[in-house]
């Protein structure tokens, strides 16, 4: 198992905290069960605005980089933009 440190901006952190409150866990380390890296340097994964999927039935989030900046999958669907899927957190 590898430990990874990531830095998130305030908006993504707020959405992650909402996910934690939804699950009813005590802290962030208990709330994040898994983080799957989707797009890799050798195999980039791009999706259109209609192809962004829900993660774990809505209990997780996907993080995308779009022409309008880094945002969650939910925000990208709402704004009608696609982009590169960086990872999925659940």
């Amino acid at each position: 198992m590898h430990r990874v440190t990531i830095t998130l901006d305030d908006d993504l952190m707020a959405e992650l905290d909402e996910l934690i409150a939804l699950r009813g866990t005590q802290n962030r380390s208990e709330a994040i069960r898994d983080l799957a890296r989707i797009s890799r340097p050798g195999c980039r994964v791009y999706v259109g605005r209609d192809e962004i999927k829900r993660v774990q039935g809505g209990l997780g989030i996907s993080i995308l980089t779009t022409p309008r900046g880094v945002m969650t999958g939910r925000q990208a669907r709402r704004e009608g933009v696609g982009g590169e899927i960086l990872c999925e957190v659940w």
Side-chain angles (χ1 to χ4, degrees):
M1 179 165 86
H2 293 72
R3 288 197 178 267
V4 177
T5 302
I6 60 172
T7 303
L8 301 174
D9 67 356
D10 293 335
D11 294 335
L12 288 175
M13 204 65 214
E15 185 143 347
L16 183 60
D17 287 338
E18 287 177 23
L19 175 66
I20 292 168
L22 179 66
R23 288 192 173 181
T25 56
Q26 297 295 323
N27 56 33
R28 292 179 183 145
S29 63
E30 291 177 3
I32 299 175
R33 181 173 159 236
D34 204 358
L35 185 142
R37 184 176 178 187
I38 305 298
S39 192
R40 300 172 188 274
C43 183
R44 304 286 184 185
V45 179
Y46 296 96
V47 292
R49 65 181 184 189
D50 299 327
E51 301 169 331
I52 301 171
K53 300 177 184 173
R54 292 175 53 182
V55 179
Q56 295 289 315
L59 293 177
I61 61 171
S62 57
I63 300 175
L64 287 84
T65 179
T66 68
R68 296 184 186 168
V70 177
M71 59 181 66
T72 65
R74 185 175 297 148
Q75 289 172 325
R77 277 193 304 272
R78 194 175 325 137
E79 293 188 20
V81 295
E84 179 183 358
I85 300 181
L86 299 178
C87 64
E88 294 177 344
V89 182
W90 67 92

